[in-house]
Amino acid sequence: MIAYPLSPTPEFGRDDKEPVQWAISGGQIGYAEALAAMEARVAAIAAGEAPELVWLLEHPPLYTAGVSAKAADLLAPDRFPVFAAGRGGQYTYHGPGQRVAYVMLDLKARRRDVRAFVTALETWIIGALEVFNVQGLIRPDRVGVWVEQKTPAIDGPGTIAREDKIAAIGVKIRRWVSLHGVSLNVEPDLSHFDGIVPCGIRQHGVTSLVDLGLPVSMDEADEALRSSFRKVFGPVVDADPPQMTPT
């Protein structure tokens, strides 16, 4: 199997060069509160009342179910809270040590092409991984960004190559504004993924930057994400996170 051939960095910027607001929340943000804040911001963007936003945060341990989630893929339903996400895809895990980036972009001001948008998200993550000399891979039959790892063969000399997911992608488009986004495994507890079949894929595992032997901090991951985002989507400007209402 080969990776998708990636063309040069896709141009998914705005013609008017309007910067995207870039906000980072500290601590752990509840999922229901974050979802409500994201939906309110997307409605404001669609109405022309707010600028685009990328919101970086961490959640407490939880599982989310996309619109294609299968009940059989929730292996431990009582382990962590489970939320219906409304995004594309199946089950995924969020928790401490994982950088979640909610991407709220106005595709009317960019390109009304959902496939090209997803490709741009993939390219963004791959560019961030390159900062740490990690080669991210895209597979035509598997959503997300993957890395190849080699492990010693059990029954003889040599190594066995396997591919593990390091970043998940799940989006929804409402009135041509994007919701949800990407999650990059920096240093999560990988055993927490055992309660689900991540994205419905049983033949492959998950990994993280620290699991790959790279002592990357969240701040370093954030800077890599920011630098790569600018190359794909255009300029950013620092902003405060959205205000949240307890649910």
Side-chain angles (χ1 to χ4, degrees):
M1 185 182 294
I2 61 174
Y4 271 137
L6 285 178
S7 59
T9 302
E11 293 294 333
F12 217 88
R14 297 174 61 116
D15 291 338
D16 60 9
K17 308 298 183 185
E18 182 74 19
V20 177
Q21 290 193 345
W22 187 272
I24 303 176
S25 287
Q28 296 177 19
I29 307 299
Y31 187 79
E33 293 85 351
L35 183 61
M38 176 171 55
E39 290 184 337
R41 180 60 174 256
V42 164
I45 294 170
E49 299 170 353
E52 298 174 309
L53 173 68
V54 172
W55 182 18
L56 275 60
L57 53 81
E58 290 177 86
H59 286 303
L62 58 90
Y63 298 128
T64 66
V67 295
S68 301
K70 300 175 182 177
D73 289 343
L74 181 59
L75 306 178
D78 299 325
R79 185 169 185 177
F80 298 126
V82 182
F83 295 89
R87 55 161 173 77
Q90 302 185 44
Y91 281 106
T92 193
Y93 165 78
H94 295 314
Q98 181 192 74
R99 179 51 90 204
V100 174
Y102 289 130
V103 182
M104 293 161 261
L105 299 183
D106 186 357
L107 302 194
K108 297 188 303 294
R110 295 173 179 273
R111 197 187 317 169
R112 300 192 195 203
D113 186 330
V114 177
R115 184 181 181 89
F117 174 57
V118 172
T119 298
L121 293 174
E122 294 168 342
T123 305
W124 169 32
I125 297 300
I126 289 172
L129 292 173
E130 287 176 351
V131 172
F132 308 108
N133 295 316
V134 174
Q135 182 183 8
L137 303 170
I138 305 302
R139 298 308 190 196
D141 58 342
R142 289 185 250 133
V143 178
V145 179
W146 303 77
V147 295
E148 184 179 84
Q149 298 196 73
K150 290 183 169 58
T151 57
I154 297 176
D155 54 355
T159 59
I160 298 174
R162 76 171 194 269
E163 292 179 356
D164 295 327
K165 178 178 282 190
I166 196 167
I169 297 174
V171 296
K172 181 177 181 177
I173 308 298
R174 180 182 297 162
R175 296 174 61 190
W176 287 107
V177 179
S178 62
L179 298 89
H180 302 281
V182 305
S183 57
L184 173 64
N185 294 334
V186 180
E187 191 180 5
D189 185 337
L190 295 179
S191 72
H192 289 178
F193 286 88
D194 295 344
I196 57 171
V197 178
C199 301
I201 299 172
R202 297 177 181 271
Q203 301 87 354
H204 299 274
V206 292
T207 190
S208 68
L209 288 168
V210 171
D211 185 54
L212 293 173
L214 302 168
V216 177
S217 70
M218 192 64 76
D219 287 345
E220 290 170 329
D222 288 348
E223 184 53 42
L225 286 167
R226 182 179 178 125
S227 175
S228 181
F229 183 92
R230 290 197 303 259
K231 295 175 183 178
V232 179
F233 294 99
V236 300
V237 60
D238 290 332
D240 293 330
Q243 293 187 345
M244 287 174 288
T245 301
T247 59

